[in-house]
Amino acid sequence: MKVYWIWLVLVGSAVGAGPSSLIGNVHGRTTVSLDGAWHAIVDPYENGVGSGIFRDEKPKSKSDRVEYSFDLSPVLNVPGDWNTQREALLFYEGPVWYRREFSYHKRPGTRVFAYFGAANYRTTVYLNGEKQGEHEGGFTPFDFEVTSTLREGGNFLVVEVNNARRAESVPALRFDWWNYGGITRDVELVEVPATFIQDYSIQLKKGSTHELDGWVRFNGPVSRHEVTIQIPEAGVEYKTVTDESGYAAFAFDASVLACGKRPARECPAPLKLWSPDDPKLYQVVVSGESDHVKDEIGFRTIEVQGGKILLNGKAIFLRGISMHEEAPFREGRAFSPEDAQTLLGWVKELGCNFVRFAHYPHNENEVRLADRMGLMVWSEIPVYWDVDWTNPATLANAQAQLRDMIARDHNRAAVILWSISNETPVKPERLAFLKQLAQDARDMDSTRLITSAMNHVDSTSADVRTLSDPLGEVLDVLGLNEYLGWYWGRPEDADKMQWKSNWNKPLIVSEFGGGAPAGRHGDADERWTEEYQDSVFQHQLAMIEKMANLAGITPWVLMDFRSPTRLLPGVQDYHNRKGVISNRGERKIAFYTLQKFYRKMAESQRQ
Ligand code: GCU
């Protein structure tokens, strides 16, 4: 064990590194969108770097030899995965080179960043033939400052994206979703003043409904700054000054500020708390001498008490569903506000107040829509099944993805849970790895709950299962994936099954379910029929009501999704069919069973 400990300290410091995106909040910033059609070269044998493809050379004379041409190459849409844009690329894993030409007018005193919402998996960015930087990880934002490389007038951005799987990556070689490659989220040029507000956090102090605390970080030459935090609608204005490094932490009582000299009894609570029934967002303005940012932020507290999860001090049951970031109808990686509206609209239609974004950070459109819709969110990094637990680079990569997930969404009231892994094998090196991540998450954000989806249970007797994964020790909330009635046992075995855990902590059944193509009907014991899937739901929901410390469920899964591990012709056809809705929007019987269960539950909670 000692060996692991020493090396972890070394790696632990990787968290100290700043986020991959210096532009904390792109929303409200002056940006130039580079979305659209980009010429793209598919480079299966990694020829590109050697041939200097990033220089986008053109033959200078008829005898000149240049063995590639972006101009002559077909385009790919950005944002978008390449797999669903071209039949020939459906299974493609490897490098693709993108080029985007654009004209730019430089404005004195501004700095410019090339910002990527995400690109899967390994990305290298070149501007005007000069390398700007690299990024690893498919689901979190990153940017590079291009101020000095940017030209007045014509510019060209070349981006190599490689989604080849590797044992040391996160996720590693095997996962049950499609390895969509490409520039999968928006690309923007973001303009900021020479000294700008890099990031800020403002949230209710744990256990308080009116005391706020947070911080602001500036980036740029000027050191000390006067900072103003305003919540105009609540009559809150707070001023402070940063330290020499441009950082200011603050804490203040919003009611005192909003009330001024009036006696407290005359002052209504300044802040309405965010909740699923009333997802109140306030405009918050953070400003300094040279810069200001606006954001829409909800204020709420989330904590645990024994086996209960408390939202704003009151116990709440998380009526949830798990979902992938897969586009409805057209398939492929979802990215647009419309995709988010359709998917989360279905989540609401089910009667949910909670959603598990599996198994990686979903796009910001979904998270911000959840904020507005009043859907609480479980957000997760793709430490999925087995990864290279003893490889320092793998841990640093997982830490970076965790840091970037928290950096992007730490001001979203909807996000209540950070999940550090899914269904990982119980072994010492894995536990050390995940303990480090749990600690990192707490160090970065003490206002939210840490969880993980586990599936390691002891069969204490024929009808008793005990969640005993040692990881439970370091979590605030326990996630349990159990497929009783599908991968083991029959649906009706749930009627007698009792579930226990080794901890007096809230439990979320983060996955259960069964597969059926929409429209395939038969007896309830006929595998792959909607009736069998529904039978799993019926028995599971009855079983779940008896579980101790149960604080929520997120059945697997909202919508059928593509997966390279699902091979059964005429049934799966490379799709995981456990959706309660098909990828064509057809609601299966189980959809209505779950909807009825949630409506009844919501009704009883209202009484
Ligand atoms: C696993 C896993 C999911 C997977 C599901 C299934 O538990 O977490 O990613 O899709 O089970 O087998 O359908």
Side-chain angles (χ1 to χ4, degrees), residues 437-503:
L437 291 179
Q439 190 51 54
D440 295 346
R442 288 204 172 83
D443 293 346
M444 287 184 275
D445 179 5
S446 61
T447 69
R448 289 184 175 81
L449 307 175
I450 311 302
T451 190
S452 183
M454 300 170 281
N455 59 347
H456 180 87
V457 295
D458 293 340
S459 308
T460 328
S461 73
D463 296 325
V464 179
R465 294 291 180 280
T466 303
L467 177 59
S468 57
D469 182 333
L471 177 62
E473 191 63 42
V474 298
L475 303 175
D476 302 309
V477 173
L478 311 169
L480 168 66
N481 293 1
E482 52 83 12
Y483 280 90
L484 173 52
W486 186 257
Y487 288 127
W488 56 286
R490 294 158 311 150
E492 55 274 21
D493 295 341
D495 303 347
K496 301 191 296 311
M497 190 60 72
Q498 290 172 51
W499 292 88
K500 299 183 190 297
S501 93
N502 285 355
W503 298 274

Side-chain angles (χ1 to χ4, degrees), residues 302-321:
I302 191 79
E303 50 205 311
V304 295
Q305 196 179 64
K308 295 197 172 356
I309 293 179
L310 309 184
L311 176 72
N312 299 331
K314 283 203 279 331
I316 189 161
F317 186 87
L318 306 177
R319 306 190 306 271
I321 188 91

